[in-house]
Amino acid sequence: MGRRNDHTRKELKEMAIKAGVELIEERGFQNFSIRKVAAKIGYSAGTLYNVFENSDDLVFHINSVTLDDLQNYIETKLDQELKGVEAIKRMGDRYIEFAHEYNSRWNALFEYRRPLDSELPQWYLLKLNSLFAIVEKLLLPFVHGDIESAKRVAKVLWGGVHGICSLGLTQRMGQDGTELLKTLANSLIENYISGLTQAKE
Amino acid sequence: MGRRNDHTRKELKEMAIKAGVELIEERGFQNFSIRKVAAKIGYSAGTLYNVFENSDDLVFHINSVTLDDLQNYIETKLDQELKGVEAIKRMGDRYIEFAHEYNSRWNALFEYRRPLDSELPQWYLLKLNSLFAIVEKLLLPFVHGDIESAKRVAKVLWGGVHGICSLGLTQRMGQDGTELLKTLANSLIENYISGLTQAKE
DNA sequence: ATTGCAATTGAACAGCGTTTATTTTACTTA
DNA sequence: TAAGTAAAATAAACGCTGTTCAATTGCAAT
């Protein structure tokens, strides 16, 4: 088949990303391939190389959608009533819930199997940044408005909660369910901030 | 070639694991394959299937060596003089140093790309357990000797430090170097334990 | 209509994990 | 020592992978 005006470039790109999201969600990242994505949208694999640099590029775009969904998932149910530590604890809960509910896509976010020297795309880093920004904002009251401190504390908390979630969901800490993982994350958030604020006074 | 008594089963297994460790360390997990391991030790790929269930099984054995090395790395320089929080902080530092120094092997430990329903081997879980045990022991003084509490706190701290290390080394928190990551991990350990002990009193 | 361009394809390549029939070797028995 | 048996290693095959590229097809403008 030659040129056919079924879809614009943009449409093609969106179709591929959507199909990729579904493929990962339904059958796991293990089962993902650029050929299957192509088949799913009725194109050949070669065509996708007009739209994406390579397979990794497609995965980054799929992961980008997942990050959007994650951000949305966290923000929508982030009760505006909740203040301070409670709000952050709720964020941790939501992160773990998301990781559990959309486990395959969440796993895909942290696939490392890429060339040793490769770097994450700039636009992707910016998206990650905006996730950190949410908690940074919530942390400002605890660090007397110092944004640099907030950034550091946010890294500790995001990193910490992610680590608990990561080791937990991949069975590397035993058979703990998500409820226990939330308890652990809450403990981390509560006591870390408690320790932090007291040290400063 | 047919039967040849060059090596025993045990030797073959060890040679393959050693070659696998080197292959990952030198060229990254991305570059690992059971065929390359076979070539590296002068056997065909099929032979390795007499000794390992499959490729995953070989990877688990390689990772097992990495866990041994990690445990050794942490314990040997764990200054016996250091007590309490300081000892745990040192452990965090050593974990991050190891992850940095043996980055490819450390990454291989957390490769998730396996079937959705698959479980980690029992013997592998036991090995992970003994890593947790190190910090559990150090934590006992802070939880009045309650081993269950120590286990929970150990999960929070291991998970937390791992998360900071993981996001940090994979460039998901910016361009932070290992020194900053250690600072973040130390902050986590110090303030979390501080918050924890105060809440109890 | 003819031309030219752009999009799409299928085939090709080198690699992968895994299985299996076949071959080669070593060991055991006569 | 020779024959027979069992074990171990291999090569080839299968179906998959990402990626590239020449050939083909369809569209649009001349």
Side-chain angles (χ1 to χ4, degrees):
Chain A
M1 212 182 308
R3 173 173 178 164
R4 63 190 215 206
N5 284 10
D6 295 4
H7 308 96
T8 65
R9 278 296 148 105
K10 203 175 164 190
E11 284 171 338
L12 198 55
K13 200 164 181 175
E14 280 167 6
M15 286 163 62
I17 293 170
K18 184 161 172 284
V21 166
E22 289 168 6
L23 187 57
I24 290 177
E25 192 56 44
E26 289 161 11
R27 320 212 18 215
F29 190 69
Q30 156 112 170
N31 218 281
F32 171 88
S33 82
I34 200 167
R35 291 174 110 113
K36 282 180 188 156
V37 169
K40 213 168 189 290
I41 62 174
Y43 279 82
S44 74
T47 296
L48 292 185
Y49 282 81
N50 293 332
V51 171
F52 299 99
E53 272 185 39
N54 48 37
S55 174
D56 269 3
D57 188 28
L58 171 53
V59 172
F60 275 123
H61 282 84
I62 291 168
N63 284 346
S64 173
V65 171
T66 304
L67 287 182
D68 286 339
D69 291 349
L70 170 60
Q71 176 144 4
N72 209 52
Y73 193 93
I74 287 177
E75 280 180 332
T76 50
K77 285 212 181 172
L78 194 63
D79 197 334
Q80 296 298 343
E81 305 281 319
L82 289 179
K83 296 291 176 198
V85 180
E86 289 307 311
I88 297 169
K89 281 159 75 174
R90 172 62 64 88
M91 273 193 67
D93 287 350
R94 291 294 284 171
Y95 181 80
I96 291 170
E97 283 168 21
F98 183 90
H100 176 68
E101 188 169 344
Y102 303 99
N103 192 251
S104 294
R105 287 165 68 196
W106 174 78
N107 264 334
L109 292 176
F110 303 100
E111 275 297 327
Y112 304 148
R113 204 181 303 203
R114 50 188 63 268
L116 280 176
D117 51 356
S118 77
E119 305 211 342
L120 302 181
Q122 196 63 34
W123 61 267
Y124 188 80
L125 289 176
L126 290 176
K127 187 150 276 183
L128 283 174
N129 237 326
S130 78
L131 267 171
F132 278 89
I134 304 176
V135 69
E136 282 164 13
K137 199 174 163 191
L138 291 174
L139 283 168
L140 279 176
F142 298 100
V143 291
H144 313 98
D146 177 16
I147 183 65
E148 286 308 314
S149 295
K151 278 182 186 296
R152 285 161 40 92
V153 174
K155 285 179 182 184
V156 172
L157 289 180
W158 255 137
V161 171
H162 167 71
I164 290 168
C165 185
S166 178
L167 293 187
L169 290 185
T170 58
Q171 315 288 330
R172 281 170 172 84
M173 299 198 306
Q175 299 301 111
D176 305 339
T178 55
E179 286 312 312
L180 177 54
L181 296 182
K182 286 193 214 168
T183 308
L184 296 177
N186 279 346
S187 166
L188 171 70
I189 293 166
E190 186 159 317
N191 289 303
Y192 175 69
I193 292 183
S194 160
L196 200 67
T197 49
Q198 268 181 255
K200 297 271 173 181
E201 316 292 322
Chain B
M1 212 183 305
R3 174 171 178 164
R4 63 189 214 208
N5 284 12
D6 295 3
H7 308 97
T8 66
R9 282 281 151 111
K10 204 176 165 189
E11 285 171 339
L12 198 55
K13 200 165 182 175
E14 279 166 7
M15 285 163 62
I17 293 170
K18 183 161 173 286
V21 165
E22 289 168 5
L23 187 57
I24 289 177
E25 192 55 44
E26 290 161 12
R27 321 214 15 220
F29 191 69
Q30 155 113 173
N31 219 282
F32 171 89
S33 82
I34 200 167
R35 291 174 111 112
K36 282 181 188 154
V37 169
K40 211 168 190 289
I41 63 175
Y43 279 82
S44 74
T47 296
L48 292 184
Y49 283 82
N50 294 332
V51 171
F52 299 100
E53 271 185 39
N54 48 38
S55 175
D56 269 3
D57 188 27
L58 170 53
V59 172
F60 276 122
H61 281 85
I62 290 168
N63 284 346
S64 173
V65 171
T66 303
L67 288 181
D68 287 339
D69 290 348
L70 171 60
Q71 177 143 4
N72 210 50
Y73 193 93
I74 287 176
E75 281 179 333
T76 51
K77 285 214 180 171
L78 195 63
D79 197 334
Q80 297 297 343
E81 306 281 318
L82 290 179
K83 296 292 177 197
V85 180
E86 289 308 312
I88 297 169
K89 280 159 76 175
R90 171 62 65 88
M91 273 194 67
D93 287 350
R94 292 293 284 170
Y95 182 79
I96 290 170
E97 282 169 22
F98 183 89
H100 177 67
E101 188 169 345
Y102 303 98
N103 192 253
S104 293
R105 287 165 68 195
W106 175 77
N107 264 334
L109 292 176
F110 303 102
E111 276 297 329
Y112 304 146
R113 204 182 303 202
R114 48 188 65 267
L116 280 176
D117 51 356
S118 77
E119 306 211 342
L120 302 182
Q122 196 64 34
W123 60 267
Y124 188 79
L125 290 176
L126 290 176
K127 187 150 278 184
L128 283 174
N129 237 324
S130 78
L131 266 171
F132 278 88
I134 304 175
V135 69
E136 283 163 13
K137 199 174 163 191
L138 291 174
L139 283 168
L140 280 176
F142 298 101
V143 291
H144 312 97
D146 178 17
I147 184 66
E148 286 308 314
S149 295
K151 278 183 187 294
R152 284 162 40 92
V153 174
K155 285 179 182 183
V156 172
L157 289 179
W158 255 136
V161 171
H162 167 70
I164 290 168
C165 184
S166 177
L167 294 186
L169 290 185
T170 58
Q171 315 288 331
R172 280 169 173 85
M173 298 198 307
Q175 299 300 112
D176 305 338
T178 56
E179 286 312 312
L180 178 54
L181 296 181
K182 286 193 213 169
T183 306
L184 297 176
N186 279 347
S187 166
L188 172 70
I189 294 165
E190 185 159 318
N191 289 302
Y192 175 69
I193 292 183
S194 158
L196 201 69
T197 49
Q198 269 182 255
K200 297 271 175 183
E201 314 294 321

